[in-house]
Amino acid sequence: MMDVQTQKIEALIGEMTLEEKIGQLQQCGPSLVGAFEVSFEELLDMMFDGRISQEEFGRLMSTAEKDFHEEDLRAGKIGSYNGVGDALTANRLQKIAVEESRLGIPLLFGYDVIHGFRTVTPIPLAESCAWDPDLWQKTARMSAEEATAAGVHMTFAPMVDVAKDARWGRVSEGAGEDTLLNGDYGAAKVRGFQGEDLSQTDAMAACLKHFAAYGAGEAGKDYNREDMSKQRLWEEYLPAYKACVDAGARAVMPAFNDLNGVPCTVNEWLLRDVLRDEWGFEGITISDANAIAECVNHGVVADRQAAAKEALQAGIDMDMTSNVYAENLAGLIEAGELAVDLLDQAVYRILKLKVELGLFENPYRTDEEKEKRTLVKPEYRSLAREAATKSMVLLKNEGILPLVPQQKIAVFGELANDPGQMTGAWAIGAQENECVSLLQAMDVQGISYAYHPGIVEGILATAEIEKAAESADVVILAIGEQKEESGEAASKAEISLPAIQLELAETLLRTGKPVVAVLFNGRPLAIPTVAEQVPAILEAWHPGIEAGNAILDILYGLVNPSAKLTTTFPFATGQCPLYYDHISTGRPGGKSKFTSKYLDTPLEPVYPFGYGLSYTAFSYSNLQVETSGDAVQLAVTVTNSGAREGEEIVQCYVQDIVAKRARPVKQLKAYRKVLLQPRESITIEFEVPFEKLGYYDQKMEYVLEAGEFAFFVGGNSRDTLSETIHLSFI
């Protein structure tokens, strides 16, 4: 028997015309008109390829007007908008939908709230280095409160694409290379975005992406193919998406890529067999931007009409901005090539989400006054600062840090003086004047310094550098990537630092002054020279709106760094993809010639997965491993052997030593962050259920195979204690 909600939705569908049904599947992106004779997409290309400057792009955008296709909205041809992020516009369009369309169905507004709305937090790759699900949930909750105050109902996040290749630009948007961490990160974000009740006005639907295996693009190129065994897909890539579905995510975005030859956008096995039938997902699916139309480019359909047919049959409910459904579904249904039931199912799911969001009862969930008093509140800035300090990884420290107030400081590098660069990729709601650079923070805090960019118009200013460093006790060097060098469509064939930045570092080292390198980047970098020669290195990533303040908190020791890498730092780009949980070969890398290695790089990465230093030191002892019931119980003693309070992220790994399929040399199975006082010891316990120790065999059956298992516990994936135990699983 149908519940009242279902009856109301089905009754509404019964009143809808074919055109109105198709309209609910249409997510519209506003068009730009005026000031220029090219499309918005072409204008973006002109900026990215250098035909116009970023300043000229901004000027043209400021004189343009947005066309929201209001007549189509009145006619019931639009059910959702993408990219509307202010209360005034959202309510104006909502008023047209509710009061001027025939059925008054409210709109759904989607927006890319990836790592903060206006109060931008560290990029996801950075925040994942906190290994802190409570923090991840809190920052997502803050994002939801801000975004919903600006009229947003759904965020296209979290991204939980396991990313093992640092060349891929979008590694910045997820939680790194590990399956477990991506799942924990995504689930925490879902809970934070959606809150306890989706109908509350400060809750927004989470749309997990990109389903599936988008982070495994061949050669690290964005949008590229993914070809892999089903065993690897189910063991390494799908679990993170499943964790988000289990956490209650109300939307799923299929990936641009093909998966074993079938684009995810038209992959019925992925979207129906796995997502809906096996996992029980009942929310909506929405294509990525223009992805349905791009199935023509993939070569799996002949034209846009065929793409529309294949996508709806595969299970895509909503078309993001390609207009393929709007142009073709009616004709396909009228010709009998598509069943109207398929359309009705998609409409039902979209209307159900609008009901869950409370939009029928309260279509105007915010107003301009609420928006004004919600954005960038002091407590939000405080949380952003906390998130940034917990995300920065201390990679090296030869006794230079923390700095002391009496020291004379010289600062070099343009990134120290550019607040707009601090947000990183996909921070579209950020405003530069609300961001704090390193130099701005030093000014506000009254820290005296000498500054020189070091590089002027692409040339190293050697004399000026030496002069600025002459009277300094310590030199701070800000180097790394511009924010445009990571994120979508920002894959790179070379992930080393630019030669001119390395020359700047070498020039400063020759002065004999102690150098602290602060890295700003959206991906792991190949930095063997810096790692070897620079005595102190802080990985700041792109830390968000409170960047400068958070960096000073770490450099001056107001906060003891505790973050650990969630991605491996290679020695050279040619090692990519390089990741800790690789499968061992028949000839593992070693000193002998005929082993799996490169002739021109070390075997080990510059920095391994899980690595990070503190201003104190931690030691591990007395690892105990035993079985109890249906789980392995581990206990280890962790001691703060240093002189100040600090947090340590204790990590537990496992290796199935002998199995019928080659298994990873290590897999993360548990972790815990603990606070220890100086000289304090604590016993940390982990429980690893037997069910987490299986794998998929050649017949795609999940098996638990008796045998020897090695367990590793330590402060990173390389430096661990280990014990081996026989498990029978009886």
Side-chain angles (χ1 to χ4, degrees):
M1 186 174 180
M2 292 188 295
D3 60 29
V4 174
Q5 181 189 91
T6 301
Q7 289 177 336
K8 288 183 177 179
I9 294 172
E10 294 200 348
L12 181 56
I13 293 173
E15 294 182 52
M16 299 171 74
T17 65
L18 180 60
E19 186 177 67
E20 288 167 336
K21 291 178 181 179
I22 295 169
Q24 287 301 303
L25 278 58
Q26 169 78 347
Q27 183 169 86
C28 177
S31 304
L32 298 177
V33 295
F36 43 84
E37 299 299 324
V38 298
S39 69
F40 175 61
E41 289 74 17
E42 175 66 13
L43 193 71
L44 279 176
D45 285 341
M46 290 171 68
M47 179 183 68
F48 287 131
D49 64 24
R51 282 179 282 165
I52 61 173
S53 66
Q54 188 170 350
E55 291 72 24
E56 179 66 4
F57 174 83
R59 186 189 68 77
L60 291 171
M61 286 291 293
S62 68
T63 60
E65 295 180 3
K66 290 185 178 180
D67 178 5
F68 292 96
H69 309 281
E70 286 92 338
E71 289 308 309
D72 285 343
L73 178 57
R74 291 184 179 90
K77 296 180 180 180
I78 298 172
S80 175
Y81 281 93
N82 178 3
V84 174
D86 68 279
L88 178 64
T89 303
N91 285 342
R92 181 178 69 81
L93 295 172
Q94 193 71 281
K95 187 173 188 295
I96 295 173
V98 172
E99 299 183 18
E100 299 181 38
S101 70
R102 187 177 76 90
L103 294 176
I105 299 173
L107 290 165
L108 175 72
F109 292 104
Y111 201 85
D112 284 284
V113 188
I114 308 301
H115 53 110
F117 183 69
R118 277 273 291 280
T119 305
V120 176
T121 52
I123 58 171
L125 181 61
E127 196 183 7
S128 72
C129 294
W131 298 56
D132 190 340
D134 289 340
L135 175 69
W136 301 334
Q137 184 169 335
K138 284 197 297 184
T139 53
R141 184 88 294 275
M142 175 185 73
S143 297
E145 290 169 1
E146 281 200 329
T148 54
V152 177
H153 303 142
M154 177 170 68
T155 174
F156 304 118
M159 190 195 91
V160 290
D161 302 320
V162 172
K164 300 175 183 289
D165 194 327
R167 294 172 296 178
W168 188 50
R170 302 193 81 167
V171 66
S172 66
E173 293 177 50
E177 68 189 53
D178 183 72
T179 304
L180 174 64
L181 277 178
N182 270 276
D184 288 354
Y185 170 87
K189 290 297 180 183
V190 168
R191 292 191 295 270
F193 289 142
Q194 297 190 166
E196 295 182 2
D197 181 354
L198 204 58
S199 68
Q200 295 299 304
T201 58
D202 64 356
M204 62 182 175
C207 178
L208 74 93
K209 64 184 187 184
H210 304 84
F211 190 58
Y214 186 41
E218 190 172 81
K221 287 197 295 185
D222 212 350
Y223 318 118
N224 211 10
R225 68 178 300 192
E226 278 79 37
D227 197 284
M228 67 174 66
S229 68
K230 282 192 175 181
Q231 286 88 351
R232 190 179 193 192
L233 178 67
W234 279 90
E235 289 172 5
E236 299 181 30
Y237 291 92
L238 291 184
Y241 307 110
K242 177 65 160 52
C244 294
V245 170
D246 290 344
R250 302 308 301 139
V252 171
M253 179 183 290
F256 282 117
N257 56 274
D258 75 86
L259 183 60
N260 297 333
V262 182
C264 296
T265 306
V266 291
N267 196 318
E268 187 169 349
W269 172 79
L270 190 66
L271 300 181
R272 292 198 185 276
D273 295 355
V274 175
L275 181 63
R276 296 207 183 276
D277 295 344
E278 187 156 347
W279 291 357
F281 177 69
E282 296 181 347
I284 73 166
T285 53
I286 177 169
S287 78
D288 211 332
N290 204 47
I292 301 177
E294 289 167 10
C295 289
V296 179
N297 297 341
H298 278 286
V300 297
V301 292
D303 52 33
R304 289 165 63 90
Q305 183 183 66
K309 178 181 178 181
E310 293 294 325
L312 191 67
Q313 287 182 159
I316 295 288
D317 296 328
M318 188 176 287
D319 174 13
M320 182 190 286
T321 69
S322 77
N323 298 318
V324 170
Y325 278 179
E327 294 168 2
N328 296 285
L329 287 187
L332 287 165
I333 290 170
E334 288 167 349
E337 294 188 44
L338 271 178
V340 72
D341 285 351
L342 280 177
L343 175 61
D344 288 350
Q345 290 168 15
V347 174
Y348 178 90
R349 288 189 285 264
I350 292 166
L351 293 179
K352 182 182 178 184
L353 178 58
K354 292 181 177 183
V355 168
E356 290 172 340
L357 287 162
L359 294 175
F360 283 91
E361 291 76 21
N362 182 18
Y364 312 105
R365 304 206 311 170
T366 188
D367 55 49
E368 293 171 81
E369 284 303 313
K370 179 180 178 181
E371 179 181 35
K372 185 183 300 184
R373 67 175 180 266
T374 302
L375 300 181
V376 202
K377 294 194 290 191
E379 55 264 42
Y380 291 167
R381 296 197 74 111
S382 178
L383 179 57
R385 185 169 177 171
E386 176 190 349
T389 59
K390 288 183 175 180
S391 301
M392 295 180 186
V393 186
L394 184 62
L395 296 176
K396 187 177 181 182
N397 184 26
E398 295 182 346
I400 296 174
L401 298 175
L403 303 176
V404 296
Q406 295 79 18
Q407 290 173 314
K408 296 178 181 178
I409 306 297
V411 184
F412 297 87
E414 293 180 347
L415 288 169
N417 195 34
D418 194 337
Q421 283 294 327
M422 297 299 98
T423 61
W426 277 117
I428 57 178
Q431 295 192 7
E432 181 174 337
N433 67 323
E434 294 171 344
C435 301
V436 180
S437 71
L438 177 58
L439 294 190
Q440 287 172 330
M442 295 176 81
D443 288 336
V444 170
Q445 296 185 30
I447 299 172
S448 179
Y449 61 89
Y451 169 70
H452 193 280
I455 302 166
V456 180
E457 296 181 351
I459 299 173
L460 197 68
T462 305
E464 292 89 340
I465 292 168
E466 293 173 348
K467 182 178 180 180
E470 187 175 356
S471 61
D473 297 316
V474 177
V475 167
I476 296 175
L477 172 61
I479 51 177
E481 294 183 315
Q482 300 285 312
K483 66 180 182 180
E484 295 80 11
E485 293 181 80
S486 62
E488 186 170 359
S491 297
K492 297 176 73 174
E494 178 59 62
I495 61 168
S496 300
L497 288 167
I500 191 73
Q501 290 190 8
L502 293 175
E503 290 178 33
L504 174 58
E506 290 167 0
T507 301
L508 290 169
L509 288 167
R510 284 197 300 269
T511 68
K513 305 291 184 179
V515 177
V516 179
V518 179
L519 300 176
F520 297 95
N521 41 294
R523 57 159 54 81
L525 297 175
I527 52 169
T529 303
V530 171
E532 179 183 358
Q533 298 180 2
V534 176
I537 305 170
L538 178 66
E539 175 55 86
W541 307 106
H542 290 134
I545 193 172
E546 282 287 314
N549 290 321
I551 291 167
L552 292 180
D553 286 344
I554 298 289
L555 294 183
Y556 281 91
L558 300 177
V559 174
N560 190 354
S562 61
K564 305 266 192 175
L565 295 177
T566 57
T567 183
T568 302
F569 274 50
F571 184 90
T573 305
Q575 292 175 296
C576 295
L578 184 67
Y579 47 93
Y580 86 94
D581 56 343
H582 61 88
I583 300 291
S584 184
T585 76
R587 294 185 173 186
K591 293 181 180 179
S592 299
K593 177 176 176 59
F594 298 103
T595 58
S596 181
K597 63 180 184 294
Y598 295 102
L599 291 176
D600 51 353
T601 69
L603 287 174
E604 293 295 322
V606 175
Y607 296 112
F609 176 86
Y611 179 84
L613 302 177
S614 168
Y615 291 149
T616 188
F618 299 94
S619 60
Y620 289 75
S621 62
N622 194 30
L623 175 62
Q624 299 178 31
V625 183
E626 59 185 26
T627 60
S628 176
D630 293 332
V632 177
Q633 305 288 339
L634 298 96
V636 68
T637 300
V638 183
T639 301
N640 180 349
S641 53
R644 67 175 289 176
E645 175 185 273
E647 285 186 302
E648 171 71 339
I649 298 168
V650 186
Q651 302 158 42
C652 174
Y653 300 86
V654 67
Q655 180 190 22
D656 185 349
I657 297 175
V658 179
K660 290 186 174 65
R661 275 186 58 230
R663 308 305 301 132
V665 296
K666 278 190 181 83
Q667 287 180 296
L668 181 70
K669 292 298 178 182
Y671 57 92
R672 183 177 166 193
K673 182 184 285 189
V674 292
L675 177 67
L676 291 172
Q677 299 302 315
R679 312 301 175 186
E680 181 184 5
S681 295
I682 188 173
T683 298
I684 301 297
E685 296 180 348
F686 293 113
E687 180 177 279
V688 181
F690 287 167
E691 65 182 25
K692 301 296 184 182
L693 300 175
Y695 64 91
Y696 287 91
D697 66 11
Q698 294 283 57
K699 297 179 180 179
M700 277 303 295
E701 295 177 354
Y702 190 78
V703 296
L704 290 173
E705 193 172 67
E708 303 294 312
F709 287 77
F711 287 85
F712 309 84
V713 178
N716 61 69
S717 61
R718 181 187 62 197
D719 304 311
T720 61
L721 303 177
S722 66
E723 290 288 339
T724 299
I725 186 172
H726 181 86
L727 298 178
S728 61
F729 303 119
I730 295 176

